[in-house]
Amino acid sequence: MTATVGQGQVLTDADAEFFWERGYLRVPQVFSPEETAELKRELDRLIVEWANRDSEWTGPWRQAYMDEETERAGKFAGMHDLQYYSAPWLRAISNPRLVAVLSKLLGPDVEFHHTTMHVKVPETGMPFPMHQDHPFYKHDDGRFIDVLLHLDDTNSENGEIRFLEGSHQGGALEHITETEEGPCSPHLPMDKYRLADTVPVPANAGDVVLMTINTVHGSDINRSSKPRRLVRMGYRHPHNRQTAGQSLGRPGLMVAGNRERREGDQAFPTE
Ligand SMILES: O=C(O)CCC(=O)C(=O)O
């Protein structure tokens, strides 16, 4: 069966099979040029008003991915939960074409979890080491999809997203979170997990690139003269319980279907 919105086909069975087999999928033009333009304007406002423009992930991988000068400058602009600061971003969470895509893959019941901005600054925009997203918001099972909404066209010059095909099939992996110097951002051992072995998935503004919470991925430096703007939006099956990490314990909004009550489930507290 094909998921549709209005007249437009959104996702076929073959697309869904591709996604669950390989762990990623690009879906072109889920957001219209007008919607994308509005989200870009809002994103630029949020970068100036609210984002941390000195965000960085830490760890010994930095020296392996960047030369000394780039490493000192290698940052990105980041912030969480753009929907708290911007109505267009609130609408983006429940965009009907996006929800149709997610319903086909996770549905019929789909719960929103978070949004996170990743803007790689020009020339020295930080690469991301090979990792799964699981250590950042641990869940009991694999029914969690990360949507990378692209606000700029991406390519090898500005650090497109790259995936290790099929890597989600082994489930959650142990990540390095500690070095002799102290805690570091979760990442996989560099000798075993190499960016060179990944599939690049360049995309255009308005496209979404989907991955599972357990798909190993990373990206290279932004060497271009322009920022590379994308926002990650997380969605899960409402019965996939979170056990640690970002936004733990926060109820998510239902964007498709409903939250079925199971034995022992309590309504959310109001205090
Ligand atoms: O922004 C990127 O290139 C990497 C994104 C990423 O690693 C993530 O969203 O977990």
Side-chain angles (χ1 to χ4, degrees), residues 157-177:
E157 200 196 355
N158 67 2
E160 83 269 90
I161 191 73
R162 306 179 65 109
F163 299 107
L164 201 54
E165 264 194 7
S167 53
H168 61 303
Q169 288 174 6
L173 298 165
E174 185 140 350
H175 283 60
I176 297 167
T177 54

Side-chain angles (χ1 to χ4, degrees), residues 1-260:
M1 212 178 69
T2 295
T4 57
V5 176
Q7 300 300 306
Q9 175 177 308
V10 178
L11 218 61
T12 63
D13 285 345
D15 292 329
E17 254 166 57
F18 181 104
F19 176 75
W20 287 115
E21 237 177 75
R22 304 195 197 195
Y24 68 90
L25 178 71
R26 178 173 79 92
V27 190
Q29 298 304 290
V30 170
F31 287 78
S32 70
E34 296 72 32
E35 288 164 341
T36 307
E38 184 184 39
L39 291 172
K40 264 191 226 187
R41 279 195 301 276
E42 274 296 288
L43 191 84
D44 288 344
R45 179 184 72 80
L46 293 174
I47 293 171
V48 173
E49 282 186 26
W50 289 99
N52 175 5
R53 282 178 275 171
D54 280 331
S55 299
E56 60 178 15
W57 284 16
T58 55
W61 58 270
R62 288 181 69 91
Q63 284 76 32
Y65 277 62
M66 295 177 270
D67 64 44
E68 219 172 289
E69 201 182 321
T70 313
E71 200 272 313
R72 273 195 301 273
K75 310 258 191 237
F76 68 103
M79 71 178 279
H80 297 299
D81 294 316
L82 288 65
Q83 69 281 2
Y84 291 161
Y85 308 85
S86 163
W89 277 99
L90 176 63
R91 287 194 290 276
I93 288 168
S94 57
N95 175 292
R97 285 176 300 284
L98 178 59
V99 171
V101 167
L102 292 164
S103 302
K104 175 87 178 162
L105 297 173
L106 270 184
D109 306 326
V110 183
E111 180 183 7
F112 164 74
H113 181 257
H114 75 272
T115 59
T116 293
M117 171 200 294
H118 275 183
V119 174
K120 293 191 192 204
V121 300
E123 322 286 355
T124 56
M126 199 197 85
F128 286 86
M130 297 287 276
H131 66 283
Q132 297 172 317
D133 280 354
H134 181 265
F136 294 88
Y137 27 90
K138 293 183 178 174
H139 280 71
D140 276 346
D141 63 56
R143 292 174 298 169
F144 190 114
I145 295 180
D146 280 312
V147 173
L148 302 178
L149 168 52
H150 284 62
L151 283 318
D152 291 301
D153 297 352
T154 58
N155 47 51
S156 57
E157 200 196 355
N158 67 2
E160 83 269 90
I161 191 73
R162 306 179 65 109
F163 299 107
L164 201 54
E165 264 194 7
S167 53
H168 61 303
Q169 288 174 6
L173 298 165
E174 185 140 350
H175 283 60
I176 297 167
T177 54
E178 195 75 48
T179 64
E180 279 165 15
E181 280 92 60
C184 64
S185 306
H187 63 281
L188 290 162
M190 281 174 289
D191 53 338
K192 277 209 193 136
Y193 294 90
R194 298 168 348 117
L195 214 45
D197 298 330
T198 55
V199 182
V201 182
N204 296 322
D207 294 356
V208 298
V209 178
L210 313 173
M211 62 180 162
T212 83
I213 193 171
N214 290 326
T215 307
V216 175
H217 61 283
S219 62
D220 217 331
I221 305 171
N222 177 10
R223 294 189 173 82
S224 77
S225 57
K226 296 192 182 132
R228 192 229 59 181
R229 295 166 290 184
L230 70 74
V231 171
R232 188 182 66 233
M233 307 159 87
Y235 297 85
R236 65 186 170 198
H237 187 282
H239 291 163
N240 186 7
R241 193 175 59 103
Q242 182 170 3
T243 56
Q246 185 176 336
S247 307
L248 177 68
R250 179 174 73 176
L253 302 170
M254 294 303 298
V255 295
N258 55 59
R259 189 188 302 280
E260 191 190 324

